[in-house]
């Protein structure tokens, strides 16, 4: 690979172009951007801002000179902040000249990427090619004074420029003078092109495209231990630790420095092992679903195609794959253009039920391929093709549309490798608190310098002791201590079968205010039971029939139930969508495929269904030139083609031919409102609406069925190409299929538990809205006396703007009339105290119109909405975003592919799946019910409380030692080496490790843990304890000074070592050691979020052991123990009265500290006092403001009176 100077190349390229960006670029919406800047995909999740830089020789020389002089410090800074290295060594330039980019994503994170270049051969897509005469990138012609004959004598070189960011390639487009993301055939490729233009590349074409797209592969690098070691050691935490160890060694704390060094080495070893283990685990997971070889079509010189087996790494977008009949593992994303495939997509969707993929067809003129829209025709990378189906001698072919990290599987892996930063206040506040600690350190450093100047100490000793203050006030273990609670919570969740791939989300789950639930498979059972069918008889619907098999076998309703599905046999077992399985089994028919064990079926013998109990014969159609003898043929239905179900169309249909008939029939099933829109009005029964409402309001799932007889001229092959829109029209309504979907037994108790904890619950489903309301009532989302209003939105017409109307879904007694005067009347909900609560229910169609025409009312809708029905996957994710926009901390719980977008969008996504697709959600529960939701919340609350407690403890540990050291500096002394070791290693480290081991309480309470580390309550807790610590140590020190036997410490003049074995040191050590233990108990809260402290066995044993050992040192001054700890003692007088007095001070501090923390700091009274002092009157959360405004608005919600959009569209 070579790098070039791009300014000269592009000067040649754009010399004749009209260039209107003299110094500036025009961004989106006409915004002027600096000449060195470009914004990609503005407003999307992939938004990137690029800043161009090129080499500056003088700045580079200066950087390396300063690095040499300062022993590599700038290099270390640049390692931590790569963008600073770009600023220091390079200059701004236009993007066409840049060889280095600074990239800023939509979350504000900064990255650095180099711009690379390659030479390409003729035939490479010209869109990306820059041509120049000189291969070394130097300017030519007028730019360097060379002869103009250069243009004639030198060949032109073809060059491409690109950069790779997070495994995605971005190409330079010379015609636009900008970078663009490189897409495969999944962008701006029409369906007709996929069907007609792709017949296989030649070897040369494939090589050129591989140079453009790179090798096809998803690999996770497992770095060597040496590489990980260097990365770990250069971490700021360990650099600070190394500097601290060097500093302690200079101060003659060799024993302490050695122990800390050994502990740090152990920490590095454990960290390297865990990092390598996680990396290897992800690598193995990715490699397990990688394929090795694939068969593709290759064009030859003779314009024919041959099958060639190649390595899957050589696949490129546009290759035509031959899918084997025995199945395969997909190594790329490919769209089917012929034949059917049965695929296990559990890796992506979490659903183990095989899915039938059908060839893509043109539904409209210039329809463009979309992986999301056409997912029923797309084979995704990592999924397993179980077997294929094809007609005659045709092959099952698929066009490769995406490779590598651009595939669906690649996106999942990228979401793990590059997770979006978590915008949680705790982490921001912790950084501010550390800065606050640095501020305290600066005060201590100033005091230290003053003391040592007064004492006339040497400069070296003054500098060492002053810097030592920094290592005391900002403990290196603070960042690690912040994650202790999260680590233990993650371990406890894992034991319960709940796996977390994003540990910071555990803390967020402790602040959840709202949880969205999918319905089918999440709140209700996966399986549906057929309750009965209702057949259309003329202008009315007949009475329901419970046993479908008793109906006439030749009726259109039974034929629809028997054929309108995508069932198939896999390893001898009938598999497919659970709804389809139940529906087909209810008919008691038989499904036959070509031959047992065969993977193909030809055009004569498609999949056949027929009655299984007895042979049914029908009269054949009138056929000429046959014998006069009457005869009959078996009643068998062949499924010629399937139009698969999708969440966008909310329907599926099949083309069927009855044996012996010259024409085909179309059978369709789907959402009642969708099927009604496709039926002829005269075929719809008059009582359809009331009966449909009757069943849906009882919680039944209702599927509408329809039929159409197609024209005789539709041939078999034409049926394989006909767009579904041409046949899915002018249908005749056949009847209704009624299915019963029972609540899971765990659902209602969990919903009650969440509501009791003041956590709002919302249902987001693709089912009928009345069914959703019924289930919401059954599970407790909607109270028994609560009312539900349907939000109905009408699209604008030439005469009227869009309108919004609220209508009661239950009884009309909820209305109350308000009237100001004759001309101003409105009807609204009674929202007075004591009146029943109300909930809003919204359909997906109404939601789309609301967002388009009533965006100002969307916050009100989502603040009171409880049931959102007929929602597409994109709308589910959009709803989560709208809830987040009004400051809800949102959880999402779902089990299928339709929920993946919402699971990733929510603050806390919980997938009820054992599949690999769960990497799209932070949490995965291997239990198939929603009991995992309160478990995650309980552990989140526990982890958040624990992290706050450990953080405050570590902060107080620093302050205690800080105060101790400053007092001893005043007395010409300091803690001894063994004392530092005992405090830091045996007390603080042990306590910090075990504090987080306390388990979570399993009951949810109505109030939530504090989430603001710098909030008034937490700051009061910290500052009050600091005051008590300082007061206790100062009183103990002053009490020591009053003792008649006390001899002040006086260091030897000129001696560089302090006399640390002194009365002052021993007194401060005793008091401070007990303060560490006291604060551990004070900062180990139990109820309401954690278990009591005594349930933490290891912490309790540690506290008891350390208390006994410290008491022994205080009350039993044995000579060997005093000499070991280097504490001054009088062998002739144990000074018991003084020691008892110290113990009383320690006990008093214990009582006051615990009382302050338990009865004041954690009281609601204190919180209300702070709110009163700060004059807090307005709620800070937007959703609370929205709810307040609705309660104060007497005209909201208007019932029966339409609201019109302000803009007439």
């Amino acid at each position: 690979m070579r790098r070039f100077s791009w300014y000269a190349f592009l000067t040649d390229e754009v010399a004749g172009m009209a260039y209107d960006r003299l110094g500036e670029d025009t961004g989106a919406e006409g915004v002027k951007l600096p000449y060195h800047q470009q914004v990609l995909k503005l407003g999307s999740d992939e938004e990137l801002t690029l800043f161009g830089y090129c080499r500056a020789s003088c700045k580079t020389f200066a950087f390396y000179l300063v690095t040499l002089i300062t022993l590599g410090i700038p290099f270390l800074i640049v390692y931590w902040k790569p963008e600073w290295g770009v600023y220091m060594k390079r200059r701004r330039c236009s993007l066409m000249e840049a060889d280095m980019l600074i990239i800023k994503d939509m979350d504000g994170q900064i990255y650095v990427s180099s711009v690379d270049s390659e030479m390409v051969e003729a035939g490479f897509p010209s869109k990306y090619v820059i041509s120049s005469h000189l291969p070394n990138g130097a300017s030519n012609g007028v730019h360097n004074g060379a002869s103009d004959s250069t243009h004639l004598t030198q060949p032109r070189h073809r060059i491409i420029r690109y950069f790779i960011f997070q495994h995605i390639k971005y190409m330079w487009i010379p015609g636009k003078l900008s970078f663009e993301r490189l897409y495969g055939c999944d962008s701006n490729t029409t369906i007709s092109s996929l069907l007609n233009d792709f017949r296989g590349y030649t070897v040369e074409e494939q090589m050129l495209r591989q140079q453009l797209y790179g090798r096809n592969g998803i690999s996770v690098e497992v770095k060597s231990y040496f590489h990980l070691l260097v990365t770990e050691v250069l971490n700021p935490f360990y650099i600070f630790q190394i500097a601290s160890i060097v500093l302690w060694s200079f101060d003659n704390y060799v024993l302490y420095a050695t122990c800390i060094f050994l502990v740090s080495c152990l920490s590095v070893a454990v960290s390297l092992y865990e990092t390598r283990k996680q990396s290897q685990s992800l690598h193995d997971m990715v490699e397990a679903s990688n394929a090795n070889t694939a068969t593709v079509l290759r064009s030859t010189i003779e314009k024919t195609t041959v099958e060639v087996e190649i390595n899957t790494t050589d696949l490129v977008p546009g290759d035509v794959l031959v899918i084997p009949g025995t199945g395969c593992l997909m190594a790329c994303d490919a769209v089917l253009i012929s034949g059917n495939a049965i695929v296990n997509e559990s890796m992506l969707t979490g659903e183990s039920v095989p899915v039938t993929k059908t060839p893509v067809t043109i539904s409209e003129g210039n329809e463009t391929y979309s992986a999301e829209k056409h997912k029923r025709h797309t084979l995704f990378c990592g999924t397993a093709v179980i077997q294929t189906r094809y007609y005659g001698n045709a092959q099952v072919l698929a066009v490769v549309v995406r490779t590598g990290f651009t595939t669906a599987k690649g996106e999942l892996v990228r979401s793990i490798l590059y997770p979006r930063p978590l915008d949680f206040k705790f982490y921001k506040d912790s950084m501010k608190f550390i800065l606050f600690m640095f501020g305290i350190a600066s005060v201590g450093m100033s005091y230290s310098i003053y003391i040592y100047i007064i004492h006339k100490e040497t400069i070296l000793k003054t500098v060492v002791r002053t810097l030592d203050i920094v290592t005391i006030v900002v403990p290196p273990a603070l960042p690690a201590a912040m994650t202790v609670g999260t680590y233990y919570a993650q371990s406890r969740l894992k034991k319960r079968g709940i796996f977390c791939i994003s540990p910071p989300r555990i803390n967020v789950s402790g602040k959840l205010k709202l949880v969205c639930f999918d319905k089918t498979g999440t709140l209700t059972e996966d399986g549906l039971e057929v309750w009965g069918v209702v057949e259309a008889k003329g202008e009315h619907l007949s009475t329901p029939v419970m046993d479908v098999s008793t109906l006439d076998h030749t009726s259109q309703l039974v034929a629809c139930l028997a054929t309108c599905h995508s069932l198939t046999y896999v390893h001898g077992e009938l598999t497919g969508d659970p709804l389809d399985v139940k529906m087909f089994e209810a008919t008691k028919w038989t499904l036959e495929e070509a031959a047992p064990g065969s993977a193909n079926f030809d055009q004569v013998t498609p999949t056949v269904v027929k009655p299984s109990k007895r042979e049914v014969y029908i009269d054949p159609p009138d056929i000429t030139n046959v014998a006069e003898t009457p005869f009959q043929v078996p009643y068998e239905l062949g499924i010629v083609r399937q139009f698969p179900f999708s969440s966008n169309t909310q329907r599926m249909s099949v083309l069927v031919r009855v044996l012996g008939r010259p024409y085909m029939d179309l059978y369709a099933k789907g959402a009642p409102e969708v099927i009604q829109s496709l039926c002829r009005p005269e075929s719809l029964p008059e009582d359809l609406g009331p009966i449909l409402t009757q069943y849906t309001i009882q919680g039944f799932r209702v599927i509408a069925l329809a039929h159409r007889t197609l024209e005789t001229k539709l041939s078999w092959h034409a049926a394989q190409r006909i767009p579904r829109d041409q046949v899915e029209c002018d249908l005749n309504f056949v009847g209704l299929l009624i299915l019963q979907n029972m609540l899971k037994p765990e659902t209602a108790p969990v919903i009650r538990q969440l509501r009791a904890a003041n956590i709002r619950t919302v249902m987001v489903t693709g089912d009928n809205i009345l069914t959703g309301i019924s289930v919401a009532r059954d599970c407790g989302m909607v109270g028994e006396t609560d009312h539900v209003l349907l939000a109905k939105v009408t699209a604008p017409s030439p005469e009227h703007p869009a309108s919004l109307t609220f209508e009661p879904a239950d009884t009309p007694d909820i209305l109350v009339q308000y009237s100001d005067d004759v001309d101003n009347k409105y009807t609204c909900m009674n929202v007075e105290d004591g009146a029943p609560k109300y909930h809003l229910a919204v359909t997906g169609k109404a939601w789309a119109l609301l967002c388009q025409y009533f965006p100002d009312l969307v916050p009100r809708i989502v603040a009171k909405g409880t049931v959102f029905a007929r929602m597409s996957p994109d709308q589910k994710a959009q709803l989560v975003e709208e809830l987040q926009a009004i400051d809800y901390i949102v959880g999402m719980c779902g089990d299928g592919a339709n929920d993946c977008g919402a699971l990733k969008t929510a603050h806390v996504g919980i997938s009820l799946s054992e599949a690999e697709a769960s990497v799209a959600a932070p949490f995965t529960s291997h239990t198939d019910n929603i009991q995992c939701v309160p478990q995650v919340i309980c552990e989140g609350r526990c982890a958040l409380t624990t992290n706050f407690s450990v953080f405050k403890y570590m902060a107080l540990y620093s302050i205690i030692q800080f105060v101790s050291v400053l007092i001893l500096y005043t007395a010409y002394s300091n803690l001894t080496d063994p004392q530092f070791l005992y405090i830091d290693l045996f007390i603080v480290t042990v306590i910090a490790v075990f504090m987080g081991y306390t388990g979570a309480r399993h009951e949810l309470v109505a109030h939530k843990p504090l989430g603001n580390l710098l909030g008034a309550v937490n700051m009061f807790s910290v500052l009050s304890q600091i005051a008590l610590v300082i007061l206790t140590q100062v009183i103990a020190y002053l009490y020591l000074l009053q003792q008649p036997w006390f001899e002040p410490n006086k260091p030897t003049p000129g001696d560089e070592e302090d006399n640390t074995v002194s009365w002052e040191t021993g007194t401060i050590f005793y008091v401070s050691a007990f303060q560490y233990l006291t604060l551990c108990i004070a900062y180990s809260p139990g109820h309401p979020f954690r278990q009591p402290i005594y349930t933490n066995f290891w912490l309790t044993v540690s506290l008891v052991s350390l208390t006994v050992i410290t008491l022994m040192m205080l009350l039993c001054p044995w000579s060997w123990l005093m000499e070991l700890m280097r504490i001054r003692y009088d062998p002739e007088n144990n000074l018991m009265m003084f020691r008892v007095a110290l113990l009383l001070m320690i006990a008093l501090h214990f009582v006051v500290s615990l009382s302050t923390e338990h009865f004041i700091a954690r009281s609601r009274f204190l919180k209300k006092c702070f709110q009163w002092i700060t004059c807090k009157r307005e709620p800070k959360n937007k959703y609370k403001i929205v709810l307040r405004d609705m309660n104060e608005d007497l005209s909201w919600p208007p019932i029966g009176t339409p609201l019109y959009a302000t803009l007439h569209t």
Side-chain angles (χ1 to χ4, degrees), residues 493-504:
L493 286 172
K494 188 174 182 180
K495 291 178 181 178
R496 296 186 178 190
I498 302 171
F499 298 86
C500 177
I501 64 169
S502 179

Side-chain angles (χ1 to χ4, degrees), residues 825-1025:
K825 292 184 178 181
Y826 53 86
T827 304
C828 72
M829 174 70 66
N830 184 355
V831 293
E832 295 179 356
D833 293 340
K837 296 180 181 179
Y838 74 93
H839 306 258
L840 298 181
V842 185
T843 64
K845 181 179 178 181
W847 172 259
L849 295 173
L850 272 170
C851 295
Q852 183 175 359
Y853 298 108
F854 297 92
D856 54 322
L857 294 181
V858 169
R860 290 193 171 195
I861 299 297
V862 298
K864 293 297 291 184
T866 300
V867 178
F868 294 85
R870 296 295 190 215
M871 298 286 279
S872 68
D874 290 341
Q875 288 177 327
K876 290 183 179 182
Q878 188 182 11
L879 172 63
V880 171
E881 290 174 348
E882 291 294 344
L883 289 166
Q884 292 170 334
I886 57 174
D887 295 340
Y888 274 112
I889 306 296
V890 183
M892 175 70 197
C893 183
D895 70 327
N898 293 341
D899 308 315
C900 283
L903 288 170
K904 289 191 289 185
T905 304
H907 293 106
V908 177
I910 306 175
S911 171
L912 306 183
S913 167
E914 296 186 15
E916 188 180 344
S918 58
V919 298
F923 296 89
T924 302
S925 173
H926 284 189
T927 57
D928 62 350
N929 59 68
I930 63 172
Q931 281 184 323
C932 58
V933 174
Q935 292 172 358
V936 169
I937 296 174
C938 286
E939 288 294 350
R941 291 181 172 187
C942 175
L944 192 58
T945 304
T946 299
N947 287 339
F948 270 46
S949 298
V950 174
F951 190 91
K952 290 190 291 184
Y953 178 77
M954 295 300 291
L956 263 296
Y957 146 65
S958 302
I959 295 299
I960 293 172
Q961 202 165 87
F962 172 71
V963 173
S964 301
V965 168
L966 289 186
I967 291 175
L968 294 177
Y969 278 4
T970 307
Y972 304 94
S973 186
N974 201 353
L975 294 171
T976 64
D977 214 356
Q979 290 167 5
F980 268 124
L981 201 60
Y982 178 72
I983 291 172
D984 287 359
L985 204 58
F986 291 95
I987 295 182
V988 176
T989 302
V990 170
I991 286 176
V993 168
F994 291 134
M995 269 184 79
Y997 202 69
T998 305
R1001 287 183 68 90
H1002 303 310
E1003 300 83 20
L1004 289 175
V1005 294
H1007 63 280
K1008 301 172 181 64
L1010 297 174
N1012 186 358
L1013 189 62
L1014 301 181
V1017 174
N1018 270 327
M1019 292 308 296
F1020 174 84
S1021 172
V1022 171
L1023 294 176
S1024 61
Q1025 295 295 342

Side-chain angles (χ1 to χ4, degrees), residues 621-680:
D622 295 332
I623 304 176
T624 58
N625 301 323
V626 295
E628 294 291 333
T629 305
F631 67 95
Q632 291 184 320
V633 295
Y635 183 55
E636 297 179 354
L637 286 73
I639 302 174
V640 177
R641 185 182 175 190
Q642 299 169 355
F643 295 107
F645 174 85
S646 74
S647 55
N648 292 326
T649 61
Q650 296 183 351
R651 66 181 185 271
M652 83 159 291
S653 61
V654 289
L655 297 181
V656 174
R657 172 170 286 174
V658 179
L659 181 62
R661 289 182 182 170
Y663 58 86
M664 296 184 190
D665 296 279
L666 177 130
Y667 292 101
K669 76 172 191 290
E673 59 270 25
V674 173
I675 296 299
Q676 287 182 59
S677 67
L678 300 175
C679 287
R680 295 185 303 113

Side-chain angles (χ1 to χ4, degrees), residues 361-367 641 643 649 651 653-655 664-668 678-680 707-711 713-715 717-732:
T361 57
I362 304 173
S363 58
E364 52 188 52
N366 293 320
E367 183 181 9
R641 185 182 175 190
F643 295 107
T649 61
R651 66 181 185 271
S653 61
V654 289
L655 297 181
M664 296 184 190
D665 296 279
L666 177 130
Y667 292 101
L678 300 175
C679 287
R680 295 185 303 113
H707 162 260
R708 178 189 174 187
T709 300
L710 301 178
E711 298 177 358
K713 64 179 181 180
L714 182 64
S715 67
H717 292 287
Q720 305 306 316
R721 293 287 183 177
I722 192 169
R724 66 187 299 176
D725 291 347
Q726 288 188 21
V727 290
E728 287 181 343
C729 58
D730 298 328
L731 307 182
N732 293 310

Side-chain angles (χ1 to χ4, degrees), residues 9-29:
F9 288 151
L10 293 173
T11 301
D12 285 346
E13 196 68 21
V14 305
M17 303 173 80
Y19 182 61
D20 59 354
R21 306 177 198 176
L22 299 178
E24 292 184 324
D25 187 14
T26 303
E29 300 179 2

Side-chain angles (χ1 to χ4, degrees), residues 568-585:
T568 186
Y569 281 106
V570 176
H571 306 306
E573 183 179 353
L574 191 64
T575 59
D577 187 279
L579 185 151
D580 290 347
V581 173
K582 291 292 183 182
M583 180 183 71
F584 182 76
E585 288 178 347

